[in-house]
Amino acid sequence: MQSSNIATIKWLTYLMFMMFAMTTDAVGVIIPEIIREFDLSLTAAGAFHYGPMAAIAIGGIGLGFLADKIGRKKTIIIGLALFSVACGLFAVGNTFSFFLFLLILSGLAIGIFKTGALALIGDISTTAESHTKTMNIAEGFFGVGAIIGPFIVTALLAGGVNWKFLYIIAGVICIVLCLIAAVVAYPKHIQVNTDQINLSRTITILKSPYAMGFSVLIALYVAAEAAIYVWMPTLLKDYTGSYTWAATWSLTIFFTFRACGRFLAVWFLNVVNWKIAMVVFSAAIAICYLASIYFGLAVAVFLLPLSGLFMAMIYPTLNSKGISCFPKHEHGAIAGVLLFSTAAAASFGPMIMGVYSDWMGGEARHGFVLAAGFAFLLCVGCVYNWIFDPTDRHIKAVEQLDPSVELNK
């Protein structure tokens, strides 16, 4: 495949990740505005987060097989087109229910085009190692989008412009990406029987111990990470020490560490074996949480944002290795399964932490006890993988049997 096409496909993928992060990770800044605008309860306003996350989960597991059945190109174009329509319709609506419907529609679109993009990364990667590095770069761009989105919303509100223009901006970007996706040449696999590619096959893949194992590990990680961007601002609102600036900017610092860490991971993976890195970083996250709980806000104000640096490499690496455990003609389906675990954990993880905190007396720190438990279990799984090495051995076996790809114009 021509290097220019590979470069274009990579940049298309990176920008897709950045674009949808601009909208999904800006919800925390938007929720206070819709509470004021529509006089909502916290539970009702929280649907702006839970709704699209649930739709992404449904889109991932229910439609992830499309990337294998009709091809990466068509799947990505369908998802991007649906997302741009959902974003554009924000210009004509003015009710909470309509906006929530559009967010759910955009979540479904993300579930479609992200599985296509994840499968595409497998097509342009020659080895499992290059796949992991590309995945870290893509998630690095996601981290950049997670910073840009809230910044745009804050700037819009400061200028007296409605928050919904963020989605209109994202919709315009999405149209450009859709046009690029339509003209670029994609790789293709040796033909497989597409009649057997359907939701039933996705369910069959889900029964694989590798699919189940990586789904659980990803869910544990995402639930632990969600504690930061959902509950850390609530935890640190009572901080009154000498470093109030750190509490004020804690979420921005966390997202910055996470984004920088994902780009650094590309270099780090050349120096340290990925299995060892996963053990060290997952243990570091658990330590950050436990120390924050034990020593209080004076320590939490620094360690919780710093945990973003340790989290950076974990999600894209788990995602990459989980997908690489399957042949490339099944990458769409397994990407959908892992995306389901991601979105489900992002939706229900914070909810469980909130319920537990309320049950324990209403203090946010109790939710971080659960988060520390999630990080500890994640570390246990990483230690198991390091000692017994089931993943790399299976990936090597899959690579030996997987057919090569060729250019599809």
Side-chain angles (χ1 to χ4, degrees):
M1 186 174 186
Q2 297 177 357
S3 59
S4 59
N5 283 324
I6 294 177
T8 302
I9 287 174
K10 285 185 176 181
W11 276 104
L12 172 65
T13 304
Y14 300 155
L15 293 175
M16 279 192 288
F17 273 66
M18 185 180 74
M19 181 269 300
F20 86 78
M22 286 171 52
T23 58
T24 57
D25 282 33
V27 169
V29 185
I30 293 173
I31 284 177
E33 293 300 311
I34 63 171
I35 289 175
R36 179 190 57 80
E37 185 176 348
F38 299 108
D39 191 26
L40 301 173
S41 67
L42 291 174
T43 302
F48 256 44
H49 172 73
Y50 305 133
M53 287 297 108
I56 291 173
I58 293 170
I61 198 166
L63 298 172
F65 68 89
L66 288 177
D68 300 326
K69 189 174 184 68
I70 66 175
R72 310 340 186 186
K73 185 171 189 172
K74 291 179 181 178
T75 301
I76 289 173
I77 291 174
I78 290 171
L80 289 176
L82 184 60
F83 187 86
S84 63
V85 170
C87 289
L89 288 175
F90 271 89
V92 301
N94 288 295
T95 64
F96 172 74
S97 59
F98 183 67
F99 291 148
L100 180 58
F101 166 75
L102 294 182
L103 285 178
I104 292 173
L105 188 63
S106 69
L108 186 64
I110 290 171
I112 295 172
F113 75 70
K114 187 176 181 182
T115 52
L118 291 173
L120 187 59
I121 290 175
D123 290 351
I124 62 177
S125 301
T126 55
T127 65
E129 289 74 20
S130 65
H131 187 280
T132 301
K133 292 174 184 177
T134 303
M135 191 73 79
N136 272 276
I137 296 175
E139 291 292 347
F141 275 88
F142 179 93
V144 172
I147 299 171
I148 294 175
F151 175 81
I152 291 176
V153 173
T154 302
L156 288 173
L157 295 175
V161 181
N162 195 286
W163 55 267
K164 67 182 184 179
F165 278 90
L166 168 71
Y167 294 93
I168 297 172
I169 293 171
V172 172
I173 295 174
C174 193
I175 291 173
V176 175
L177 295 179
C178 194
L179 293 174
I180 296 173
V183 299
V184 70
Y186 284 61
K188 72 174 182 178
H189 296 287
I190 294 174
Q191 187 64 40
V192 296
N193 185 1
T194 57
D195 291 338
Q196 297 177 0
I197 300 176
N198 48 42
L199 182 58
S200 296
R201 196 196 62 166
T202 301
I203 301 302
T204 301
I205 288 176
L206 184 58
K207 297 177 182 178
S208 162
Y210 294 96
M212 287 296 297
F214 278 99
S215 293
V216 170
L217 290 178
I218 284 175
L220 288 171
Y221 165 76
V222 172
E225 182 196 52
I228 296 292
Y229 62 78
V230 175
W231 295 117
M232 182 175 66
T234 303
L235 178 71
L236 297 181
K237 68 180 176 60
D238 296 326
Y239 175 77
T240 56
S242 303
Y243 303 97
T244 54
W245 62 268
T248 302
W249 293 97
S250 60
L251 204 53
T252 300
I253 295 170
F254 168 79
F255 282 137
T256 301
F257 272 132
R258 191 183 66 173
C260 292
R262 283 175 175 166
F263 290 115
L264 287 173
V266 179
W267 164 80
F268 194 73
L269 285 167
N270 291 323
V271 180
V272 178
N273 182 278
W274 74 273
K275 296 187 291 288
I276 298 175
M278 296 290 280
V279 171
V280 173
F281 290 153
S282 58
I285 297 169
I287 291 170
C288 284
Y289 285 172
L290 291 172
S292 297
I293 295 165
Y294 185 80
F295 293 106
L297 298 184
V299 170
V301 74
F302 296 108
L303 287 187
L304 292 183
L306 179 63
S307 68
L309 191 60
F310 305 130
M311 291 181 183
M313 181 182 145
I314 291 180
Y315 178 74
T317 302
L318 286 175
N319 218 9
S320 170
K321 298 304 181 184
I323 291 173
S324 296
C325 282
F326 293 82
K328 290 184 178 181
H329 66 269
E330 294 182 341
H331 277 195
I334 182 58
V337 169
L338 299 182
L339 183 58
F340 173 83
S341 295
T342 300
S347 180
F348 292 107
M351 184 186 301
I352 294 171
M353 293 175 207
V355 171
Y356 181 71
S357 295
D358 288 338
W359 184 54
M360 294 297 292
E363 295 184 15
R365 67 183 180 89
H366 294 294
F368 281 88
V369 174
L370 285 183
F374 295 146
F376 174 77
L377 291 175
L378 172 64
C379 185
V380 170
C382 292
V383 169
Y384 175 87
N385 182 66
W386 172 42
I387 294 174
F388 297 101
D389 193 25
T391 302
D392 279 350
R393 285 189 284 109
H394 184 71
I395 289 175
K396 289 178 182 177
V398 169
E399 286 181 336
Q400 290 175 353
L401 297 174
D402 204 18
S404 60
V405 297
E406 60 187 38
L407 185 63
N408 174 27
K409 293 184 179 182

